[in-house]
């Protein structure tokens, strides 16, 4: 398994003449995991922590405590007693872990607001911190792009996991000359996404995490429409599910920066797009017009142009004619620029963050 091979390679001593660099554990690592990927995110942080020789305390999101407990309990079966522990509760439990003097490293996946609180609490003790936070990821579609593929990807990766992904496509910028055709293609693609019980294989969009999240998405959509966004498509929510946390698949055009839909994280099943003049300069300016910098994508048949734009987008991951999360190699780190990250995880570079180097020099 490449994941474990890379992890083990990171921990090997590196010899340079009379000097040897070894990796040493931090000690106790506190992990705070989110609700949207309650298994994967624990493993992404816990496995490199444990392999690096640390002991670990996992605090799952209070929204998914049983899933978090299942993951921790499963790992505990193959670990010595006490090496991996579980702490359940709300934000106050996480705050206590961050403040505890015996915790040397805090690793969290979650919102930027929570990440700021962790940084503030960790600062007095100069704790090491790894934070993967929110995103408002742009997708740029140039005039010469394969519009059918771009539209299919725009819809799929706006709606994946009901839009509850930190690197969902949340802002789509389309060259003006291709805008009308792209709208029609997105509308057509969105009609294939049926809302309903996620256990039914015919349904591609399940519920949101809560009614609170549903109201937030609804408010953003209503704000956009009131300010001039055009509703291209909105699906039905099956009868009997209206009072649940299901929200219809929604496709909006003519979204602008004065609308919350283009400035705040949405985390819902919404495809939001706007047109631009099609130039490289404007593509870069619009993509970077956010406090976030997690992932992004550029669609064009001109690979050199795509490379120039990708180099200037301030994000940790840029996909060229693809969605980076699904296509990047296991060797690559997962990085957030700007307010999307502090430190990083995964891949060779990311695994190194869970141990600290020590140089031993012999005469």
């Amino acid at each position: 398994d490449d994941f474990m091979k890379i992890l083990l390679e990171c921990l090997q001593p590196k010899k340079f003449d009379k000097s040897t660099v070894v990796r040493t554990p931090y000690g106790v690592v506190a992990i705070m995991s989110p609700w949207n990927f309650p298994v994967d995110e624990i493993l992404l942080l816990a496995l490199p922590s444990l392999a690096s020789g640390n002991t670990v305390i996992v605090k799952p999101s209070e929204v998914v405590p049983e899933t978090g407990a299942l993951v921790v309990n499963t790992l505990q079966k193959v670990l010595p007693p006490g090496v991996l522990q579980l702490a359940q509760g709300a934000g106050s439990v996480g705050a206590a872990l961050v403040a505890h003097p015996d915790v040397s490293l805090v690793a969290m996946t979650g919102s930027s607001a929570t990440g700021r609180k962790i940084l503030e609490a960790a600062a007095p003790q100069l704790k090491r911190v790894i934070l993967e936070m929110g995103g408002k990821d742009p997708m740029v579609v140039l005039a010469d792009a394969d519009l059918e593929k771009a539209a299919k990807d725009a819809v799929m990766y706006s709606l994946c996991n009901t839009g509850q992904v930190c690197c969902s496509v949340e802002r789509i910028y389309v060259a003006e000359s291709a805008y009308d055709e792209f709208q029609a293609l997105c509308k057509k693609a969105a009609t294939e996404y049926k809302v309903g019980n996620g256990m039914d294989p015919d349904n591609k969009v399940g519920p949101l995490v809560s009614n609170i999240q549903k109201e937030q998405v609804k408010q953003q959509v209503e704000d956009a429409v009131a300010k001039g966004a055009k509703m291209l498509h909105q699906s039905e929510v099956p009868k009997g599910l209206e009072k649940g946390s299901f929200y219809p698949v929604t496709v909006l055009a003519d979204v602008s920066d004065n609308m919350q839909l283009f400035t705040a994280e949405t985390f819902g099943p919404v495809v939001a797009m706007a047109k631009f003049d099609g130039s490289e300069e404007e593509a870069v300016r619009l993509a970077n017009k956010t406090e976030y910098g997690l992932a992004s994508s550029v669609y064009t048949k001109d690979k050199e142009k795509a490379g120039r734009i990708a180099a200037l987008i301030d994000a940790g991951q840029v996909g060229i004619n693809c969605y980076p999360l699904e296509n990047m190699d296991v060797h690559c780190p997962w990085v957030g620029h700007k307010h999307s990250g502090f430190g990083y995880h995964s891949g060779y570079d990311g695994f190194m963050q869970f141990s600290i180097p020590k140089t031993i020099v012999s005469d």
Side-chain angles (χ1 to χ4, degrees):
D1 180 88
D2 286 341
F3 181 95
M4 297 307 297
K5 287 180 181 177
I6 298 165
L7 183 52
L8 292 173
E9 182 184 344
C10 290
L11 301 173
Q12 298 305 308
K14 304 294 190 296
K15 190 168 181 59
F16 306 96
D17 193 22
K18 296 181 179 181
S19 302
T20 303
V21 179
V22 297
R23 309 296 303 187
T24 61
Y26 281 106
V28 181
V29 178
I31 291 173
M32 286 89 172
S33 60
W35 50 260
N36 57 336
F37 291 97
V39 175
D40 299 30
E41 291 295 339
I42 291 177
L43 296 176
L44 283 172
L45 300 176
L47 292 180
S49 296
L50 292 165
S52 298
N54 301 290
T55 55
V56 175
I57 303 171
V58 173
K59 193 206 89 65
S61 166
E62 61 271 27
V63 178
V64 286
E66 293 187 11
T67 305
L70 177 63
V71 175
V72 172
N73 292 339
T74 300
L75 292 174
Q76 284 175 332
K77 293 177 181 178
V78 296
L79 293 169
V83 169
L84 176 64
Q85 299 183 49
L86 178 68
Q88 297 279 24
S92 59
V93 175
L97 287 172
V98 175
H100 199 286
D102 289 342
V103 172
S104 299
L105 171 65
V106 179
M108 182 219 64
T109 298
S111 71
S112 297
T114 300
R116 291 187 189 98
K117 291 178 181 177
I118 289 174
L119 275 176
E120 290 173 2
Q125 298 180 55
L126 299 177
K127 291 181 190 285
R128 301 304 203 275
V129 176
I130 299 170
L131 305 173
E132 182 205 327
M133 300 183 282
K136 194 68 184 173
D137 292 0
M139 175 181 181
V140 173
V141 182
L142 299 179
D144 66 343
D146 179 339
L147 295 183
E148 287 197 9
K149 174 174 171 47
K152 180 181 177 181
D153 285 1
V155 172
M156 180 183 302
Y157 298 117
S158 295
L159 304 180
C160 178
N161 204 36
T162 318
Q164 299 169 122
V165 185
C166 56
C167 54
S168 286
V169 173
E170 293 208 351
R171 296 178 295 135
I172 306 167
Y173 298 106
V174 186
E176 187 170 8
S177 61
Y179 192 52
D180 289 345
E181 183 179 354
F182 188 82
Q183 288 182 67
L185 289 168
C186 282
K187 180 178 179 179
K188 179 182 177 182
T191 60
E192 299 176 5
Y193 286 77
K194 182 181 176 184
V195 177
N197 188 330
M199 301 303 290
D200 183 339
D202 290 335
N203 296 327
K204 293 185 177 181
V205 178
L208 290 162
V209 69
S210 66
N211 279 321
I212 293 174
Q213 183 63 26
K214 173 184 173 182
E215 286 303 312
Q216 176 179 307
V217 175
K218 180 183 176 188
Q219 192 274 327
Q220 285 194 17
V221 170
E222 290 176 346
D223 170 75
V225 172
K227 292 176 179 176
K230 181 172 63 175
M231 181 76 73
L232 295 179
H233 171 73
Q234 191 163 56
S235 70
E236 297 292 328
V237 172
K239 290 183 179 180
L241 299 180
E242 301 92 341
K243 292 184 179 179
S245 58
F246 295 88
Y247 189 81
V249 169
T250 302
V251 183
L252 292 170
D254 300 345
V255 182
S256 60
D257 290 339
N258 69 330
M259 302 171 188
Q260 296 174 26
L261 205 56
F262 257 21
T263 56
E265 273 197 289
T266 301
F267 249 55
V270 180
V271 183
M273 70 189 78
K275 63 183 176 182
F276 76 108
D277 66 11
S279 67
E280 293 182 42
E281 295 77 13
E282 187 67 357
V284 171
R285 187 188 73 81
L286 290 169
N288 289 337
K289 196 175 182 182
T290 175
E291 66 182 22
Y292 299 105
L294 193 52
S296 57
S297 53
V298 181
Y299 283 73
T300 172
K301 293 174 183 174
D302 187 333
K303 292 294 183 70
E304 290 187 3
K305 184 188 295 184
R308 290 193 297 268
I309 294 172
L312 295 173
I313 292 179
D314 199 355
Q317 292 70 223
V318 184
I320 295 177
N321 298 319
C322 69
Y323 183 62
L325 178 62
E326 283 201 349
N327 291 275
M328 62 195 296
D329 190 86
V330 69
H331 290 79
C332 301
W334 185 253
V335 184
H337 290 194
K338 300 192 284 189
H339 291 194
S340 289
F342 191 93
Y344 39 88
H345 64 73
S346 297
Y348 190 90
D349 293 290
F351 292 155
M352 300 278 275
Q353 306 303 304
F354 294 88
S355 62
I356 189 165
K358 176 191 291 184
T359 299
I360 300 174
V361 184
S362 60
D363 189 357

